[in-house]
Amino acid sequence: MVTVETNSTFDAQQVEDIVEHARANILRMALYQSTRDPELKRMPLTKVSLRGGAFFGYELSEEDAKTVRAKARDFLMSGEASKERPLPTDAEQREMMHLLTGEEITDELFAFGREELALEDFSRKADWTDGKPSIPEGFSVAVIGAGASGIVAGVQLEQLGIPYEVFERQSEAGGTWQLNHYPEARVDTSSFLYQFKFVKNYPWPEYFAPQSEVKKYIEHVARDFGVDKHITFDTELKHAVFNEQTKLWDIELHHRDGSVDKRSVNAIISGAGQFSTPRFPDIEGLSKFAGTKLHTTAWDDSFDPKGKRIAVIGNGSTGVQLMPGLAKAADFVYQLQRTPQWVSPMEQYREKISTEVRWLFDNMPFYWNWYCYYSQVTTDAMQNAQEYDREWQANGGSISEANDGLKQSLTTYIQDKLGSRPDLIAKVLPDYAPLARRLIVDNGWYDALLRDNVALVTDGIARFTEHGIETTAGELLEIDAVVFAAGFDVSKYLWPTEYVGRGGATMESIWTEDGPRAYLGLTVPGFPNLFIFYGPNAQPRSGAFLSWVEVWSRYAVQGVIHVLEQGISAIDVREEVFREYNRELDAHNDILIWENEAPADKNYYVNSFGRQNVHWTFRNDEYFKRVAALNPADFDEI
Ligand code: NAP
């Protein structure tokens, strides 16, 4: 049963004002779920472009929106909202999903979508097949990292009562949200997507939460589910060897105080992340530079940009997020750009969640659920624009109708922003297809380029001198500080931990052909009971990253459950399953734009072998079909 409390202290006028702040189509579905009012079913939808055409929303006519709001007001004032309601059946949920968008809901879309709608307490909870078996004395799982991945793995293990410990090399939880505390760091995906679905109606202060709030959220989840008591901080897993006699992982933990701890564990879940190894460009003369050197992953909070001349190296998601704020405070900012990037508008970015909307989340039954689900489905269209349409190309198109349309609308956006400066437009307009690299959110970057105290530098960096940067055009940029927003070495999966599997193999020794590979991005043959989150080709093609972390945690913990229920030591993914999966993965890579459309050596999606190594290549629903439940037949028992 779903219980909802209604705040009865509001009068009709106040509630009428509040529902004006709702998204009418989402309000419609929330109301329909409670009332099954047939009038709410018969409302046509208009598909609207979001994020410059990367996403699509679904809206009601003004008249229908008015009807929905009036009905919602009456419903909220009637006291009906506080009634308990049974969980809708799958068929009912599916019908409502269809009503929300008018799109066909396939079995696969429904399977993932119902978990995004999150009407159940914890739909992605891993569970025993037939009650908890006895757990052998000393059985233990090591979870690596106390970021979102490690914490959700801990939540699953905690709920099942499986002994585990979380090891974190930093002194606090949060992972990438602990490390990246540069000014203006915030999610560039809606917080209604970038959240766990088993935590209901978290009171985000903004639609796109700032770094401190995301860190707070991860800490809150760790505390609320009791995972915090299992974390050992300042401790790095350096070395893990699978012991073929004991069938345990012998692990070596290095504490910050220099002490080393050796122990054996039954399984390892690595939540080490993909954005954990910062890239420091090796630029001539850097050691001679006398000014301040900052990297966005190790921001010095005492650094005051006031009165300083600053160079920002990098215009990826990080540089674009950071630069406008620095420009407001600094004396002068040089934005160094090696390659233009597609920087897109994002609705509600930096917008606070009003008290009216907060009230709706708290008091309108199912508004939060449909808001979350809507946030996910609206991003799905991005997957269309990542694929080649060969027919479209044969008829003279560049990539596909979706991608070419996105390119046109983002170009118009840039022209609108920088209309007064054709010289800047020529410099920032990419000559490759949007989405070939990660689409960046505009945090006022184009506006900042128009400031008197900002210069966009597109010449290369020849060298650092004592007082600045000499460009390849021979210009000397005199600066007091340089900020590296130069990205991460995403191909260093699992680094700096060395895993040694069966037969003494290391990951590096088996990843020599064309870079890292895994089965479903999660397991590698020869490395039994080792589950990697955010592994090779494991990034969703759109949408809800933390939802996928939940999915991976269910999968990994189902592996641990299988081991315990079968009374075996370990499971090892079968070589032929791994190979067949990767063959299919590669076949899909051919229909996607990533390997061909942007300079491969400047695109972290593509590894040094020219292979797209970050995203899974299947559509999200197809990947979900494979990863929703661990299939024991994919594994050898050892
Ligand atoms: P990035 O996208 O890899 O961008 C790195 C930037 O540094 C690029 O502009 C790159 O130029 C430049 N660069 C690297 N080496 C250079 C060199 N030697 N000389 C000159 N320029 C150099 O890295 P990022 O901006 O840190 O973003 C990485 C990922 O982190 C994002 O794609 C996203 O997934 C995540 N992120 C998320 C958020 C969020 O809001 N949630 C915020 C920040 C980052 P080229 O383009 O020429 O290579």
Side-chain angles (χ1 to χ4, degrees):
M1 297 297 260
V2 183
T3 322
V4 182
E5 282 175 24
T6 306
N7 184 339
S8 56
T9 59
F10 282 72
D11 64 29
Q13 185 56 52
Q14 281 171 309
V15 174
E16 187 160 332
D17 292 344
I18 285 167
V19 294
E20 281 301 315
H21 291 79
R23 289 196 163 199
N25 191 23
I26 297 174
L27 187 65
R28 175 175 74 107
M29 290 326 304
L31 190 59
Y32 180 73
Q33 184 172 336
S34 290
T35 63
R36 303 299 151 103
D37 176 345
E39 199 186 342
L40 296 169
K41 281 176 81 171
R42 292 188 291 267
M43 293 185 167
L45 296 161
T46 307
K47 205 165 169 176
V48 294
S49 160
L50 301 171
R51 203 183 176 184
F55 304 162
F56 283 97
Y58 303 85
E59 287 186 359
L60 300 176
S61 69
E62 257 181 55
E63 201 176 317
D64 284 341
K66 220 167 133 188
T67 306
V68 168
R69 291 183 207 284
K71 283 177 183 278
R73 180 205 54 205
D74 294 347
F75 170 76
L76 284 161
M77 292 311 296
S78 70
E80 283 288 306
S82 58
K83 277 198 183 151
E84 280 199 1
R85 291 187 165 77
L87 189 70
T89 62
D90 280 2
E92 288 168 333
Q93 291 188 43
R94 192 164 172 163
E95 186 217 5
M96 290 188 283
M97 286 174 189
H98 168 69
L99 286 178
L100 178 76
T101 63
E103 307 278 3
E104 187 199 352
I105 307 293
T106 61
D107 291 352
E108 288 79 15
L109 286 172
F110 175 67
F112 182 64
R114 68 185 292 286
E115 294 185 358
E116 288 301 281
L117 186 56
L119 292 169
E120 290 166 66
D121 282 351
F122 191 171
S123 59
R124 297 188 177 117
K125 184 174 179 293
D127 218 342
W128 306 109
T129 317
D130 190 17
K132 188 177 175 183
S134 76
I135 296 183
E137 176 89 25
F139 187 96
S140 166
V141 180
V143 176
I144 310 307
S149 297
I151 296 303
V152 75
V155 169
Q156 295 272 16
L157 294 162
E158 180 75 27
Q159 303 233 320
L160 293 166
I162 298 173
Y164 70 99
E165 280 186 84
V166 183
F167 301 106
E168 167 58 58
R169 64 180 133 162
Q170 304 298 326
S171 306
E172 291 172 51
T176 195
W177 297 105
Q178 197 271 328
L179 274 182
N180 287 281
H181 53 89
Y182 57 87
E184 291 288 324
R186 71 176 62 235
V187 290
D188 61 4
T189 306
S190 160
S191 288
F192 294 89
L193 280 176
Y194 202 89
Q195 64 176 354
F196 300 122
K197 298 298 184 299
F198 60 87
V199 179
K200 310 295 180 189
N201 192 19
Y202 184 80
W204 294 112
E206 297 186 38
Y207 290 95
F208 292 79
Q211 170 270 335
S212 60
E213 288 293 336
V214 186
K215 180 174 185 290
K216 210 163 93 182
Y217 174 72
I218 294 170
E219 289 170 334
H220 158 82
V221 177
R223 225 176 15 251
D224 226 39
F225 288 82
V227 179
D228 58 335
K229 295 180 201 72
H230 297 255
I231 308 174
T232 307
F233 290 107
D234 299 311
T235 299
E236 183 165 79
L237 175 67
K238 284 263 201 217
H239 204 62
V241 182
F242 186 72
N243 184 322
E244 304 211 42
Q245 265 76 52
T246 61
K247 310 271 195 290
L248 299 173
W249 281 96
D250 296 334
I251 63 172
E252 203 176 279
L253 299 161
H254 289 237
H255 303 290
R256 204 181 284 271
D257 65 7
S259 59
V260 177
D261 183 10
K262 293 184 179 180
R263 61 175 82 179
S264 300
V265 294
N266 300 73
I268 302 178
I269 298 177
S270 170
Q274 202 171 84
F275 298 111
S276 51
T277 309
R279 199 164 47 195
F280 285 87
D282 182 18
I283 300 173
E284 185 189 324
L286 181 58
S287 60
K288 291 191 205 127
F289 177 59
T292 308
K293 297 169 203 156
L294 294 148
H295 196 285
T296 47
T297 54
W299 194 260
D300 176 357
D301 292 324
S302 68
F303 174 73
D304 182 1
K306 202 162 156 231
K308 298 207 173 58
R309 296 159 303 171
I310 304 169
V312 176
I313 297 182
N315 55 314
S317 300
T318 304
V320 166
Q321 210 165 46
L322 171 77
M323 189 279 273
L326 278 187
K328 278 183 196 147
D331 185 47
F332 200 87
V333 169
Y334 294 102
Q335 168 70 70
L336 285 97
Q337 171 191 285
R338 192 167 64 174
T339 315
Q341 297 259 23
W342 287 105
V343 181
S344 67
M346 181 71 103
E347 293 76 12
Q348 295 184 306
Y349 195 66
R350 302 177 63 94
E351 200 178 302
K352 296 215 180 326
I353 294 175
S354 65
T355 47
E356 291 86 353
V357 172
R358 167 56 43 217
W359 190 93
L360 282 164
F361 283 135
D362 294 343
N363 295 287
M364 177 69 199
F366 317 118
Y367 188 71
W368 177 84
N369 301 84
W370 285 102
Y371 201 97
C372 293
Y373 176 73
Y374 184 83
S375 304
Q376 186 264 316
V377 290
T378 52
T379 71
D380 260 3
M382 199 157 96
Q383 297 179 90
N384 297 331
Q386 296 160 346
E387 293 172 1
Y388 290 112
D389 178 341
R390 300 298 179 200
E391 206 181 316
W392 178 261
Q393 289 181 304
N395 289 325
S398 179
I399 305 282
S400 64
E401 186 175 5
N403 192 289
D404 292 3
L406 177 61
K407 186 173 191 171
Q408 185 50 55
S409 96
L410 292 179
T411 303
T412 305
Y413 177 70
I414 295 170
Q415 286 163 341
D416 288 349
K417 281 280 172 194
L418 299 177
S420 60
R421 291 282 305 275
D423 59 316
L424 281 178
I425 296 176
K427 284 181 174 179
V428 301
L429 199 62
D431 61 0
Y432 56 86
L435 302 181
R437 306 175 77 187
R438 177 160 163 127
L439 191 59
I440 294 169
V441 171
D442 184 11
N443 186 28
W445 190 74
Y446 294 117
D447 294 341
L449 290 181
L450 294 173
R451 293 176 67 98
D452 292 340
N453 70 334
V454 173
L456 179 70
V457 180
T458 54
D459 297 319
I461 303 169
R463 62 191 59 81
F464 273 89
T465 66
E466 191 181 346
H467 299 295
I469 291 173
E470 197 182 308
T471 70
T472 48
E475 191 187 355
L476 180 66
L477 315 176
E478 288 198 26
I479 52 172
D480 307 297
V482 58
V483 173
F484 289 99
F488 300 84
D489 200 339
V490 297
S491 62
K492 281 193 171 171
Y493 288 101
L494 305 170
W495 192 89
T497 306
E498 186 183 46
Y499 288 92
V500 181
R502 295 169 82 183
T506 61
M507 295 281 183
E508 288 66 33
S509 71
I510 62 160
W511 283 345
T512 50
E513 204 182 311
D514 54 8
R517 286 182 180 274
Y519 174 54
L520 299 173
L522 286 161
T523 58
V524 181
F527 295 81
N529 284 3
L530 171 63
F531 299 91
I532 313 162
F533 290 3
Y534 215 168
N537 292 99
Q539 180 159 292
R541 282 179 49 183
S542 68
F545 181 69
L546 261 60
S547 296
W548 291 101
V549 177
E550 279 185 53
V551 172
W552 294 331
S553 74
R554 173 171 61 193
Y555 185 95
V557 173
Q558 282 174 345
V560 176
I561 287 174
H562 183 71
V563 163
L564 284 165
E565 289 187 334
Q566 299 304 310
I568 56 176
S569 300
I571 54 171
D572 190 4
V573 67
R574 288 166 47 214
E575 183 77 35
E576 61 271 28
V577 170
F578 164 84
R579 289 205 176 282
E580 176 55 18
Y581 171 78
N582 275 284
R583 193 194 57 71
E584 287 185 64
L585 192 81
D586 287 355
H588 279 250
N589 240 341
D590 292 345
I591 62 162
L592 294 159
I593 62 175
W594 295 311
E595 289 180 358
N596 306 313
E597 298 303 325
D601 59 333
K602 306 222 174 55
N603 188 356
Y604 76 83
Y605 289 170
V606 180
N607 69 16
S608 57
F609 300 91
R611 200 174 84 76
Q612 189 282 117
N613 206 186
V614 169
H615 289 89
W616 56 68
T617 61
F618 309 102
R619 290 249 174 159
N620 293 349
D621 51 342
E622 169 63 26
Y623 176 78
F624 181 73
K625 201 163 80 179
R626 295 163 187 251
V627 79
L630 177 135
N631 179 4
D634 290 343
F635 292 82
D636 288 325
E637 295 181 355
I638 60 161

